[in-house]
Amino acid sequence: MPTFKLDNREIPFQPGDTIIRAAHRAGIDIPHYCWHPGLSVAANCRMCLVEVMPPPGRPALNLAVLAWDAEKQAYVDQKKPKLQPACQMTVTEGLDVRSDSSEHVERARSAVQELLLLNHPVDCPICDQAGECRLQDYWLEHQHAKKRMNDEPVHKPKAVVFGPTIVYDAERCIVCTRCVRFCDEVAKDPVLDVRQRGNLNEITVAPGRQLDHPYTLMTEYVCPVGALTATDFRFKARVWFLRSARTVCQGCATGCNAFLDYDPRNDTAYRHRPRENAAVNGYWMCDEGMLDYRRVHQYRVLKAKTGKEETTLSAALDRAADTLKGVSGENVAVVLSAQHSSEDNFAMARFARDVLGTTNVFLSGKPPGEGDSILRNADKNPNQRGMAGAAAGLPAKPIQDLPGLLESGQVKTVVALGADARDVPPPSLVPSSGLVVLATHAGTLTERATVLLPASSWAESDGTFVNAKGLAQESEQAFGPLGDSRPAWKLVAGLSVRLGKDLGFRKLADVRKAMTPEPPQSLRPIAPPSVGGAS
């Protein structure tokens, strides 16, 4: 691979790379505001200026400038090299570029930073971008000087509502146009533009429109300063208190890679933001996915129930075991869920086959929704393919086939993972002998459960999800189980023990080992415990 020099370091590059893209790929940060690897080049912030050394034997391209001479107390003529924007200049083999090692570059960056801050309000104490703002970071790195302008700054509109999810502060805006380019190039809805000129520039919404396409939160996310803020996160948390877990979006079958930001002091999730993966979602996420983190805390099942009465998890597992004891495999059905991880579904499939001795396995999940050609998939389940794969070897059928078996009396007892039953009318899913539900959220099945067991959400346990392309991706646990919930595979393991069979699932690694294509281990009968948790 060809290389070029950046501060005397050899950097490989691909044909067509710009200096900043090659540096970015090598893990080197060249300061920038307007450049984004997923957007077109604007080259308007000038923060990424670098010095390109002339080839041997050729004179440097210099500019005549006036510089202040402190000793003479006067401006004097000087020469300086013509700096180039790293985001725009294409790399060629053998190019010699100076970035951090050039005094001319350092002075230019300091000047650009000072220009951007001339009219910028000191909103840092109340700004949601504080702690993540490049204006703050680059002031420390490249300027670190007091403001010299004593004139009244230019005032612009503040707290302008752009749409249902975004608020705009024109005084904080550096007019990098990232938001404009994102709407035009990625969201395919050119609803934003720039009006006025010079220091009167500001972003505006097209007349008669509002910022309401399905990717509005990404327009806020690409903003490098605090000009655009999301109403969902606005004034909710300080980023330096938050920690991040590498997760997989649960909003649809695309399986966008994401970060779940949460406060470890109270186990509260505050936002979902994209994690780069060129093979899945690139740099982006849709609004549905970025707001899906709310379900970590909304409509949760956090207490076990027998009928309508809350009880302990241990007592509920005992009651569930009593419901399933002595039930013939022909008369019991097990429902898997495309809303749960492959590990949870695999544990349920093994429970059906090896503990209950049934092949009556059904597949459930959310009904289809709206999709598009960008990221949103019409399948609103994160693990449709993973659920089907977990049931390998069993003749799994859609849940729409279950009501007929219940009506005929062939199936009298149901064990269900998840609360979603697609488009099946709720009354047709009530078995005559008992309904045991392992659910994270309240829904169609939880309202009619004989025994309800609280299952942890994707944020509270590690899990694997297979997206629409068949790519298996791991989602990391952010914090521990909320309430009395436990990972669904652990509830299944505890229930199997109470029924006299041991699936051998003590930890997640045991489930994943069993998921590999190896001969199944023989199950040994054991005495069910009289007390204890789900494990």
Side-chain angles (χ1 to χ4, degrees), residues 1-19 22-23 25-26 28 90-97:
M1 181 177 289
T3 63
F4 74 104
K5 282 187 177 182
L6 179 60
D7 292 329
N8 294 317
R9 175 179 169 182
E10 293 288 340
I11 305 296
F13 69 92
Q14 298 175 2
D17 272 351
T18 57
I19 295 172
R25 190 181 295 114
I28 300 172
T90 305
V91 181
T92 57
E93 187 160 12
L95 198 68
D96 188 359
V97 180

Side-chain angles (χ1 to χ4, degrees), residues 145-322:
K146 292 182 179 180
K147 189 173 184 178
R148 294 187 292 171
M149 188 184 81
N150 296 320
D151 297 336
E152 182 71 13
V154 176
H155 293 291
K156 298 179 182 179
K158 298 180 74 70
V160 180
V161 176
F162 268 12
T165 62
I166 301 297
V167 174
Y168 174 63
D169 190 318
E171 287 189 348
R172 300 177 189 171
C173 183
I174 62 172
V175 199
C176 68
T177 70
R178 277 188 176 191
C179 56
V180 176
R181 285 175 283 146
F182 175 82
C183 288
D184 188 16
E185 300 165 11
V186 180
K188 308 300 182 185
D189 184 14
V191 66
L192 299 181
D193 208 342
V194 182
R195 70 179 174 193
Q196 298 293 352
R197 291 179 179 274
N199 61 7
L200 298 180
N201 269 167
E202 61 183 79
I203 305 299
T204 185
V205 184
R209 285 291 312 277
Q210 57 178 344
L211 185 59
D212 57 2
H213 56 66
Y215 297 87
T216 62
L217 293 177
M218 278 307 308
T219 63
E220 179 272 335
Y221 184 73
V222 298
C223 179
V225 295
L228 294 176
T229 51
T231 55
D232 177 68
F233 185 71
R234 187 175 169 90
F235 305 137
K236 297 290 177 60
R238 284 301 195 182
V239 297
W240 48 82
F241 291 128
L242 303 181
R243 300 294 180 267
S244 300
R246 299 162 65 89
T247 58
V248 174
C249 177
Q250 305 292 296
C252 73
T254 301
C256 293
N257 288 210
F259 289 107
L260 178 68
D261 294 337
Y262 65 97
D263 193 330
R265 300 172 300 174
N266 54 16
D267 289 347
T268 301
Y270 280 99
R271 64 179 181 180
H272 224 183
R273 53 193 177 91
R275 177 162 54 93
E276 180 183 344
N277 188 329
V280 181
N281 56 304
Y283 310 95
W284 322 118
M285 284 178 69
C286 70
D287 288 358
E288 292 176 29
M290 293 183 76
L291 294 176
D292 194 60
Y293 80 91
R294 294 172 175 175
R295 290 200 300 143
V296 174
H297 303 291
Q298 290 179 340
Y299 314 114
R300 286 295 304 275
V301 175
L302 298 177
K303 293 289 184 181
K305 288 184 178 181
T306 53
K308 299 296 183 181
E309 299 295 325
E310 289 188 357
T311 185
T312 64
L313 182 59
S314 179
L317 283 165
D318 290 340
R319 176 66 181 275
D322 292 340

Side-chain angles (χ1 to χ4, degrees), residues 335-336 361-365 384 387-388 391 396-400 422:
V335 179
L336 306 185
V361 175
F362 298 87
L363 307 178
S364 71
Q384 189 82 248
M387 170 187 67
K397 300 174 284 292
I399 196 172
Q400 288 85 349
R422 293 190 186 272

Side-chain angles (χ1 to χ4, degrees), residues 313-332:
L313 182 59
S314 179
L317 283 165
D318 290 340
R319 176 66 181 275
D322 292 340
T323 302
L324 297 172
K325 280 179 182 176
V327 176
S328 170
E330 297 178 355
N331 302 131
V332 64

